[in-house]
Amino acid sequence: MYFKHRHIDYYVENIPLLDEPFLIYDDKVNVLVVENQREFLNLVSDIEGQTRKMEGSTVFSDESKLSDVSKAVEFVYQYYPFEINRKALLTKLYSVLRERVNSEFMPESLELASEIQQFIFSVMDTMDCELTMDDFECSILFKSMNVRFADEYESLPEAIIDYCKNVVALLGDKIFVFVSLQCFVTPEEYQELTKTLLQHKYTILLIENTDRASDTYRVSENRLVIDSNYSVL
């Protein structure tokens, strides 16, 4: 499958599933429905693998330039429990915090490090054995004190919105690919969630196995349905 504009296309046995790339719009909810269960699973698995730097058949591009899926796509498929403190995001958070310490809080950091080292030396001196230690860096306190994103939410849409904000703030613009999202939210929640994501100018792509289009979904959608016989509706 080839996604353009960022756009996507996907190949089934080296044959494009679509005659033309599926165009992804920044100002619409892009919905790709693949009703054939095997190909739905293949597509989802392919994109997920590429986010882990594995080879795959799905291609994303921005205009004519191919995108690295592991960098361009934020892949979301687990909703209950919804994990907002994902490893990659926390790793980036600690990196940013370390940079802040070194650039904006260096005097305070050096003073605190000196005090902590002096305290540790005092405790070490009480031992009847020879001890040593590495230099102390204040930045390790963030991880040791389990600094993380607040994760108490009243609803799944609220958690998703905050997660997207954190991703963009730390990792930059992404294509948010949500798998089977409509299975986990009510039509009303879907309406408000997608409306809010578009207001924040996030690029979103929903990959679904069932076409749930109805009059309830009044957000601006770019929807394409590929039925179980590979016909485009």
Side-chain angles (χ1 to χ4, degrees):
M1 178 98 27
Y2 193 56
F3 290 84
K4 183 173 183 179
H5 143 60
R6 304 154 185 183
H7 78 213
I8 182 170
D9 205 356
Y10 177 71
Y11 291 82
V12 181
E13 297 177 353
N14 295 321
I15 300 174
L17 191 59
L18 299 176
D19 293 332
E20 297 181 354
F22 180 60
L23 188 62
I24 298 176
Y25 295 91
D26 288 332
D27 58 349
K28 294 182 180 181
V29 178
N30 303 280
V31 184
L32 177 62
V33 180
V34 182
E35 293 186 339
N36 183 290
Q37 292 185 348
R38 183 185 66 179
E39 294 309 329
F40 170 79
L41 179 59
N42 287 343
L43 173 61
V44 169
S45 299
D46 186 86
I47 297 175
E48 191 278 332
Q50 289 195 61
T51 62
R52 295 184 287 109
K53 299 184 179 300
M54 298 174 62
E55 293 186 358
S57 301
T58 307
V59 178
F60 286 80
S61 73
D62 193 342
E63 300 300 337
S64 60
K65 181 181 179 181
L66 297 183
S67 301
D68 182 342
V69 174
S70 66
K71 297 178 180 178
V73 170
E74 187 67 21
F75 192 73
V76 183
Y77 62 94
Q78 181 175 323
Y79 302 100
Y80 287 100
F82 187 81
E83 181 56 69
I84 197 168
N85 286 290
R86 304 189 183 191
K87 183 178 180 181
L89 204 53
L90 285 178
T91 299
K92 182 62 177 180
L93 173 64
Y94 293 143
S95 174
V96 171
L97 290 174
R98 283 195 299 271
E99 291 174 2
R100 294 285 173 85
V101 168
N102 294 332
S103 63
E104 301 177 28
F105 297 91
M106 183 58 72
E108 296 91 338
S109 172
L110 293 174
E111 182 178 354
L112 178 60
S114 176
E115 292 177 357
I116 291 177
Q117 286 187 159
Q118 186 58 50
F119 169 74
I120 294 176
F121 282 137
S122 297
V123 176
M124 290 167 56
D125 285 342
T126 65
M127 301 296 295
D128 190 19
C129 49
E130 187 173 346
L131 303 175
T132 188
M133 61 176 283
D134 295 330
D135 290 337
F136 179 80
E137 294 185 11
C138 289
S139 59
I140 68 171
L141 291 174
F142 297 117
K143 191 170 184 178
S144 64
M145 297 188 70
N146 196 24
V147 173
R148 61 194 183 279
F149 301 102
D151 56 1
E152 293 184 4
Y153 298 98
E154 295 183 359
S155 67
L156 175 60
E158 185 182 347
I160 290 175
I161 291 168
D162 262 15
Y163 178 74
C164 292
K165 289 179 181 178
N166 295 337
V167 167
V168 172
L170 291 173
L171 302 177
D173 289 336
K174 295 269 194 173
I175 302 172
F176 290 94
V177 177
F178 297 97
V179 178
S180 299
L181 174 63
Q182 291 173 299
C183 292
F184 297 91
V185 294
T186 67
E188 294 76 18
E189 287 177 328
Y190 174 82
Q191 176 84 7
E192 289 303 314
L193 171 59
T194 52
K195 178 182 176 181
T196 301
L197 293 176
L198 290 179
Q199 288 175 341
H200 283 88
K201 301 186 183 303
Y202 300 150
T203 304
I204 55 179
L205 169 64
L206 276 61
I207 301 179
E208 302 282 342
N209 184 228
T210 302
D211 186 14
R212 293 180 173 81
S214 72
D215 291 338
T216 306
Y217 300 146
R218 292 297 87 196
V219 290
S220 178
E221 286 190 339
N222 169 37
R223 178 179 290 265
L224 181 67
V225 180
I226 303 171
D227 70 14
S228 57
N229 295 316
Y230 303 105
S231 297
V232 176
L233 306 181

